Amino acid sequence: MNEPVLLTPGPLTTADSTREAMLRDWGSWDAAFNALTASVCRDLISIVGGEDSHVCVPLQGSGTFAVEAALGTLVPRDSKVLVPNNGAYCQRIVRMLGYLDRQAVVLKHREDEPADPARIDAALAADPAISHVAQVHCETGTGILNPLPQIAAVVAARGRHLIVDAMSSFGVVPINVRDIPFDALVAASGKCLEGVPGMGFVIVRRAALELAIENCHSLAMDLHDQWAYMQKTGQWRFTPPTHVVAALRQALDLYAQQGGQPARLARYSENCATLVNGMHALGFRTFIDAAVQAPIIVTFHAPADAAYDFPEFYRRVREKGFILYPGKLTSVDTFRVGCIGAIDPEVMRRAVAAIGASLKEMGVILRSAA
Ligand SMILES: *Cc1c(COP(=O)(O)O)cnc(C)c1O
């Protein structure tokens, strides 16, 4: 296969068998497809141990659609949402709340600083009108891991509701409803489950979803309506992404065969360590402290050399078979490298070699390497 390896936060490099699962057409009314959807939802709930308390509502579209649907469906229209903000995906939630006409209380953090449970606790104590906290788990904009167990405990102790954007951590970083109470947790087909993009899903506490009837401002985004219809008919409202669901079924089978969450965490952690060690040896510095770095995507400082230019660097690394990702920080020049997808440490070693060779071709010198 001569296609480049995607070292990005999604779409990702997928297994051959996952792509092959899409080589067939499914009727959306057909019982076989309904059974496929039901089995995928069952597996997704079981990843967080939510069988007794939670339901899974799939939604057509990319992950952002599902985050917006969760907020629009679950947050009462006259309510306030606390958003601990340490990066681009937190900021996206703030923008969504603006569109949805829900009040946001933004708790600003530095981008290299994990969300602080003590500050969240103080903000909830100070404002009883805040009903929900919207927390990004792994902030993919930088790769920082926010302390979800501690944040969930604070939110629960204050009697508020938690909505988690676990898009880039789901299936990798352990999350269990027993020790992390949440009303909703949002993820998608095309991230760490190693499916293809096109379907988001929300794992919702059943009691919270039942209360959210006719709250959503939008028909297409109404998770209660999607769930109620699916309960009644086994079908999706509106055309389902049939091939995406079939690929996710196969990706979930591989996930289980490979050892589930602990195995995926182990592989991604090894990918991440291989990448970071190799990049350190080349002279690169990481933006996020190792103690709070998630093994998902790593932000590196760009070389401080006039010969460096990201588009040119990108082109040369791509020529050698690897697709990098631009940085998402406004104040510092960076780029990102993903550790996720159907890739292993050997791929990461080759990627580091390609990066080193590209710098050499460009005549870029890293000061810390000298
Ligand atoms: C990928 C991602 C999303 C969704 O982004 P899409 O481009 O809509 O797929 C949301 N939140 C986080 C943290 C993500 O990593």
Side-chain angles (χ1 to χ4, degrees):
M1 192 177 77
N2 291 322
E3 291 157 24
V5 175
L6 300 174
L7 300 179
T8 65
L12 306 174
T13 293
T14 55
D16 290 342
S17 66
T18 296
R19 269 176 276 116
E20 281 156 12
M22 293 186 285
L23 295 177
R24 126 152 218 210
D25 302 312
W26 298 79
S28 67
W29 274 68
D30 196 68
F33 180 70
N34 296 342
L36 201 64
T37 300
S39 81
V40 162
C41 286
R42 259 197 311 276
D43 284 13
L44 295 174
I45 294 176
S46 78
I47 290 173
V48 295
E51 294 90 337
D52 297 331
S53 49
H54 289 63
V55 298
C56 173
V57 190
L59 188 73
Q60 299 92 332
S62 83
T64 302
F65 291 65
V67 176
E68 190 164 313
L71 293 168
T73 302
L74 296 172
V75 177
R77 294 190 187 204
D78 57 357
S79 195
K80 274 191 192 175
V81 182
L82 181 72
V83 187
N85 181 355
N86 62 349
Y89 288 93
C90 306
Q91 187 56 39
R92 187 178 292 175
I93 288 176
V94 175
R95 285 192 71 200
M96 283 175 194
L97 292 168
Y99 275 85
L100 296 172
D101 214 17
R102 308 296 202 280
Q103 226 179 307
V105 178
V106 181
L107 202 53
K108 189 89 192 111
H109 288 67
R110 289 194 326 268
E111 285 185 300
D112 60 353
E113 169 194 28
D116 181 352
R119 286 184 61 200
I120 293 168
D121 189 44
L124 294 179
D127 191 347
I130 297 172
S131 63
H132 288 70
V133 175
Q135 180 65 55
V136 174
H137 189 196
C138 169
E139 170 45 74
T140 320
T142 57
I144 198 167
L145 186 67
N146 287 313
L148 187 59
Q150 291 83 346
I151 292 167
V154 159
V155 175
R158 292 275 171 205
R160 315 301 169 86
H161 302 278
L162 181 63
I163 297 176
V164 185
D165 172 351
M167 206 69 65
S168 62
S169 55
F170 187 87
V172 180
V173 182
I175 302 174
N176 193 293
V177 300
R178 271 198 318 272
D179 28 69
I180 302 185
F182 61 79
D183 267 17
L185 184 133
V186 191
S189 54
K191 299 243 172 160
C192 299
L193 296 172
E194 301 182 358
V196 303
M199 178 194 129
F201 56 90
V202 186
I203 295 178
V204 203
R205 200 163 56 81
R206 178 193 281 268
L209 187 58
E210 281 168 350
L211 281 177
I213 185 166
E214 288 170 9
N215 181 58
C216 195
H217 60 291
S218 152
L219 172 67
M221 292 279 158
D222 189 344
L223 293 178
H224 185 283
D225 199 51
Q226 176 89 316
W227 175 63
Y229 186 82
M230 217 169 244
Q231 291 271 103
K232 207 162 58 196
T233 64
Q235 295 162 18
W236 297 56
R237 294 175 313 163
F238 324 137
T239 305
T242 47
H243 299 76
V244 176
V245 177
L248 183 56
R249 178 63 271 158
Q250 173 59 24
L252 284 165
D253 289 343
L254 288 177
Y255 180 75
Q257 282 161 25
Q258 292 166 0
Q261 176 270 322
R264 193 132 307 178
L265 177 62
R267 175 159 57 87
Y268 288 179
S269 297
E270 213 184 324
N271 286 351
C272 185
T274 305
L275 170 71
V276 170
N277 292 339
M279 293 292 275
H280 278 161
L282 290 177
F284 281 100
R285 287 183 304 121
T286 53
F287 177 73
I288 295 296
D289 198 74
V292 289
Q293 169 73 58
I296 306 292
I297 188 163
V298 184
T299 299
F300 293 99
H301 287 280
D305 182 322
Y308 174 79
D309 165 60
F310 182 75
E312 177 65 12
F313 175 57
Y314 177 94
R315 192 185 62 73
R316 288 178 185 272
V317 175
R318 191 195 189 288
E319 234 169 46
K320 297 170 184 57
F322 303 91
I323 297 220
L324 304 178
Y325 215 56
K328 222 173 183 149
L329 302 175
T330 41
S331 51
V332 215
D333 192 12
T334 57
F335 64 92
R336 288 177 290 168
V337 187
C339 321
I340 61 182
I343 55 176
D344 61 15
E346 181 48 34
V347 171
M348 302 315 284
R349 270 187 281 279
R350 286 193 280 116
V352 171
I355 287 170
S358 301
L359 291 180
K360 195 166 274 175
E361 289 163 15
M362 292 170 73
V364 173
I365 294 175
L366 279 151
R367 219 177 286 144
S368 42

